[in-house]
Amino acid sequence: MNFIASVLASSISVAAPLMYASVGEIISERSGVSNLGLEGIMLVGAVTGYLSALHSGSLLAGVLGAMLAGAVIGLFYALMTVTLQANQIVCGLALVTVGTGISGFLGKAAFGKIISHSFNRIAIPGLSQIPFLGPVLFEQNLLVYALYFVVPLAWFYLFKTRPGLKLRALGENPAALDAAGVSVYLLRYLYVTVGCAIVAVGGAYITLAYTPAWIEGITAGRGWIAAALVIFAVWNPLFAAAGAILFGSVEVLGLRLQVIGITIPSYFVRMLPYICTVVVLIFSTGSFKKRKASSMPASLGKHYDREER
Amino acid sequence: MKNLGLRIRFEKRDPLHPLVRMLIPIASILIALLACGLMMHFLGYNATGAYRKLFQGSFGTFKNLSESTLQAIPLMLCSLGVAITFKMSLNNIGAEGQYMIGAFAATGVALYCPWIPVPLVLPAAIVAGFLAGGLWAALAVAPKALWGVNETIITLMFNYIALLFVDFWLYGSWRNTAGTNLPYSNPLPSYALLKTLGHTRITSAIFIALVAAVLIYVFFKMTSRGYQARVIGASSQAARYAGMDIAKNIFLMMICSGGLAGLAGATQVTGPIGMLQTNMAHGTGYSAIIIAYICKFNPFVILVASLLFGGLIQGGYGMQLVNVPEQIVTIIQGMILFFVLAGEIFSRNRLVLYRRARDDAEHFPAESEVAES
């Protein structure tokens, strides 16, 4: 019981950046704009978050700095894909390249410097006393606690509110929304920007809470894993959170097994999240399934051009 | 509705003359360089000094030009590989991993197969690089070919798996016996190394790249299988209706694509690097995607663009002399792609400025037309 609880608690902490990234991407993709550049946004979020915290001495400033950087990238990405109608897959790849470069470029100033404090685990009095659930859920850091609100809120907004209905319609049938007098372009700009800001927090989580330091390429493919997670989660924030914990537990279990003495070479353990992504993608979208995943937003990745209506 | 401000809008235009269309990527490259220069300037770096070093270091002297060409060879091979899959709408972004697996296989043949006769070691290593890269790519694309799973993320995941797989050997039984602590293999024996041209370090692998470019051109222009690949790229439904075996074509193209990336790795191991090193692809596979895309997958344009990108990498070392971080090269590459992507809309549309009249749903493109190109 104790072992399971500690594995689950670590899994949530490993899964948190994936949750931020996949929730941000779900918001963007539900509006019809696919963004494969998550890895680049997370890297920029990681470095700007770290630098902001380093210079201001405030962790909140770190998170806000990352969100601001993410929002700027989001605006730029929306300009490219919504206004200039660039190919979204290639544009996402370009974003990964530029994000990798910029994070390494800016990261020179952060290399080897240690922030004075990072997001530590805080046990919530009372709640952390609950048997089993307490140590799993309520002995985490503040950024994980924030997720307990972000994930359900994103779900509630998407599926239970009127603006959320519009957001989903944006990804399904933008022409209908346009006919109803809603500005498709403006809303897509909004949701891509908000989505990217949330993705960037996932990057900042890594440098401010998980391994408080900056190393080049610190996200190690988590952005790509999050992109796969969105498909696996059928564009639903709650499923994405569950999937992220599944990924987290694979990673944590691999490491724990080594501690117990079951020797798998560490290189193969570190492969597990990537292999897991491949397997999950195959089983969640493979055409051998009887019921095909039909929840993909119908207009995902398609440009909206008023003249081609 | 009540907005009276000036607005911009894109309007469809007639196709541009091919020569004019070619200017768009060139202009994009220049704008990208300008934008990165401004960024360096505002971040307090010496931008003009950096660019001077970049051009000196890349094409300024004969030696630097030959070194840039050497840098370009793996880029050429990987970009050609990426191009043939992108041409059939197959997003193979796994060239980085295919390169590593190719390098791994070539090293294995050259160092650990003592039963191969000495004169055959080099050819065997090259062929092994091609086959290993191709099979790795085929494995990554199998879910796409068999069950229609999206290949973009899977090919990318295979990069990380390949890197860790190579690290497993380099930090383990393949680690060099010379006692250095670096995760490198033993150097290859001289009989397993490629010939170099004249006094330069350019390896004969450049001929492999040239031949590959010609073969790819011929394949797509003149063979029925090349035609099938183009049809599948344009519309997989049309291809299926015409009775083409899509899965077979996907596997074939992917093996060739991964094989070319594997060749890049193999010719680096048997070429300038002379051993297997951890993370030796160092972004080549990702640069290849950018090159292939901005060249519109034309094999001959790819050779030229690879040379430019090779110069960018080679000159990038010079930029570090004026304290500009090496990552500027990655940023410039990505920005070039962004500006090429942004420029594409101008080849299909023209920018129109117009004033929106009150309560009028109709747009009047009455104002002057800007940006003809």
Side-chain angles (χ1 to χ4, degrees):
Chain A
M1 197 66 168
N2 221 345
F3 176 77
I4 297 174
S6 88
V7 166
L8 274 178
S10 310
S11 305
I12 291 178
S13 145
V14 170
L18 296 177
M19 291 192 204
Y20 278 111
S22 50
V23 167
E25 178 70 0
I26 286 172
I27 292 173
S28 173
E29 291 203 356
R30 279 283 181 184
S31 83
V33 181
S34 118
N35 184 348
L36 285 181
L38 297 182
E39 181 80 0
I41 304 167
M42 283 178 88
L43 276 169
V44 173
V47 80
T48 48
Y50 196 73
L51 283 173
S52 314
L54 198 63
H55 288 300
S56 65
S58 147
L59 288 171
L60 181 67
V63 174
L64 290 178
M67 287 183 82
L68 183 68
V72 170
I73 296 177
L75 272 179
F76 177 71
Y77 192 80
L79 173 74
M80 290 294 302
T81 53
V82 178
T83 304
L84 297 179
Q85 302 178 356
N87 178 327
Q88 292 179 7
I89 289 175
V90 184
C91 219
L93 293 177
L95 192 53
V96 176
T97 310
V98 172
T100 310
I102 287 183
S103 68
F105 196 89
L106 296 176
K108 290 279 170 202
F111 188 72
K113 291 189 183 137
I114 314 275
I115 44 173
S116 51
H117 45 283
S118 58
F119 282 106
N120 291 321
R121 287 166 173 247
I122 301 169
I124 298 181
L127 287 174
S128 62
Q129 304 303 317
I130 304 171
F132 190 72
L133 281 183
V136 171
L137 291 176
F138 300 112
E139 283 180 22
Q140 302 280 2
N141 62 57
L142 281 175
L143 282 179
V144 174
Y145 294 139
L147 273 172
Y148 297 167
F149 297 96
V150 169
V151 173
L153 265 180
W155 173 82
F156 186 81
Y157 183 82
L158 264 172
F159 296 106
K160 301 288 166 198
T161 67
R162 279 193 74 83
L165 181 66
K166 270 187 197 165
L167 166 53
R168 283 182 291 141
L170 207 52
E172 299 289 349
N173 191 346
L177 270 190
D178 200 0
V182 177
S183 171
V184 171
Y185 297 124
L186 191 71
L187 278 185
R188 281 195 171 165
Y189 263 83
L190 174 72
Y191 287 122
V192 170
T193 308
V194 170
C196 286
I198 299 174
V199 172
V201 177
Y205 178 92
I206 299 171
T207 47
L208 296 178
Y210 189 58
T211 46
W214 165 256
I215 309 160
E216 242 194 288
I218 196 169
T219 51
R222 286 190 181 84
W224 290 102
I225 293 177
L229 207 52
V230 170
I231 303 169
F232 167 67
V234 290
W235 291 266
N236 181 330
L238 295 184
F239 293 157
I245 293 173
L246 179 75
F247 273 91
S249 55
V250 168
E251 200 172 327
V252 170
L253 268 180
L255 296 170
R256 290 291 165 93
L257 286 179
Q258 282 190 308
V259 176
I260 298 173
I262 300 170
T263 48
I264 317 164
S266 69
Y267 301 96
F268 293 103
V269 173
R270 281 156 61 200
M271 277 179 203
L272 281 176
Y274 310 117
I275 294 173
C276 191
T277 307
V278 171
V279 172
V280 159
L281 260 186
I282 292 173
F283 281 101
S284 56
T285 63
S287 59
F288 54 82
K289 285 200 323 183
K290 287 212 177 81
R291 184 184 60 83
K292 279 183 91 173
S294 56
S295 343
M296 184 175 106
S299 299
L300 181 62
K302 292 181 189 148
H303 305 299
Y304 181 63
D305 192 336
R306 296 188 90 172
E307 290 185 25
E308 285 173 1
R309 246 188 317 184
Chain B
M1 298 299 153
K2 301 244 157 65
N3 195 330
L4 287 168
L6 202 59
R7 299 222 167 179
I8 56 167
R9 185 162 70 95
F10 290 106
E11 218 175 52
K12 294 276 172 288
R13 75 183 320 161
D14 297 332
L16 284 169
H17 190 271
L19 276 176
V20 181
R21 213 161 34 199
M22 265 177 61
L23 286 176
I24 291 175
I26 294 172
S28 309
I29 290 173
L30 293 177
I31 297 172
L33 284 173
L34 185 70
C36 291
L38 287 175
M39 188 195 82
M40 279 191 273
H41 181 75
F42 287 119
L43 287 174
Y45 293 99
N46 176 2
T48 45
Y51 276 141
R52 193 168 300 129
K53 288 280 179 208
L54 174 66
F55 291 114
Q56 272 170 9
S58 51
F59 305 115
T61 64
F62 179 74
K63 183 172 183 300
N64 290 343
L65 177 67
S66 75
E67 286 294 306
S68 297
T69 313
L70 183 65
Q71 294 279 4
I73 296 171
L75 288 172
M76 290 174 181
L77 289 166
C78 285
S79 314
L80 290 171
V82 168
I84 59 176
T85 43
F86 268 68
K87 216 172 159 94
M88 61 182 289
S89 297
L90 201 58
N91 294 315
N92 169 21
I93 52 177
E96 187 89 352
Q98 293 145 17
Y99 174 121
M100 289 306 292
I101 295 296
F104 169 81
T107 311
V109 167
L111 290 179
Y112 299 100
C113 294
W115 42 269
I116 300 176
V118 167
L120 289 182
V121 169
L122 177 60
I126 305 266
V127 170
F130 181 90
L131 291 178
L135 289 177
W136 185 255
L139 192 63
V141 84
K144 162 83 174 184
L146 300 177
W147 309 300
V149 179
N150 183 317
E151 74 286 3
T152 315
I153 292 167
I154 293 188
T155 48
L156 191 278
M157 287 295 119
F158 269 63
N159 289 347
Y160 290 98
I161 298 173
L163 271 175
L164 286 165
F165 175 76
V166 171
D167 274 2
F168 167 70
W169 291 92
L170 277 181
Y171 283 92
S173 53
W174 279 22
R175 191 169 211 162
N176 64 69
T177 45
T180 61
N181 231 353
L182 297 166
Y184 297 165
S185 75
N186 280 324
L188 265 61
S190 59
Y191 56 79
L193 295 181
L194 287 162
K195 294 262 186 306
T196 53
L197 306 181
H199 298 295
T200 67
R201 298 205 308 141
I202 302 172
T203 62
S204 44
I206 193 164
F207 297 117
I208 303 181
L210 297 179
V211 170
V214 174
L215 286 179
I216 288 169
Y217 182 81
V218 171
F219 174 79
F220 278 108
K221 282 280 174 211
M222 298 172 196
T223 69
S224 77
R225 211 161 259 299
Y227 173 73
Q228 289 191 13
R230 291 207 325 253
V231 173
I232 294 170
S235 163
S236 64
Q237 275 175 333
R240 193 172 291 119
Y241 183 70
M244 297 175 188
D245 187 342
I246 295 179
K248 194 170 157 190
N249 276 294
I250 287 179
F251 274 121
L252 183 78
M253 298 305 278
M254 198 67 178
I255 288 173
C256 292
S257 172
L260 283 166
L263 272 181
T267 54
Q268 286 296 97
V269 162
T270 59
I273 297 183
M275 61 178 76
L276 184 66
Q277 295 181 349
T278 182
N279 194 21
M280 63 184 280
H282 202 69
T284 306
Y286 300 113
S287 303
I289 300 165
I290 299 176
I291 296 172
Y293 194 84
I294 65 173
C295 298
K296 294 274 173 295
F297 319 126
N298 178 317
F300 300 118
V301 183
I302 282 175
L303 296 181
V304 178
S306 298
L307 204 56
L308 283 177
F309 273 61
L312 193 59
I313 294 170
Q314 184 63 28
Y317 298 129
M319 289 167 96
Q320 291 177 55
L321 296 177
V322 286
N323 293 322
V324 178
E326 56 170 329
Q327 285 81 7
I328 188 69
V329 170
T330 316
I331 302 178
I332 293 175
Q333 291 184 4
M335 291 308 276
I336 289 175
L337 181 53
F338 265 131
F339 282 105
V340 168
L341 283 165
E344 274 177 357
I345 193 165
F346 294 106
S347 61
R348 284 180 275 117
N349 299 272
R350 57 181 155 202
L351 201 61
V352 180
L353 281 179
Y354 70 98
R355 220 179 275 282
R356 188 181 246 189
R358 179 189 291 260
D359 293 333
D360 199 339
E362 203 60 47
H363 305 143
F364 290 107
E367 300 300 318
S368 61
E369 291 175 354
V370 187
E372 272 294 317
S373 62

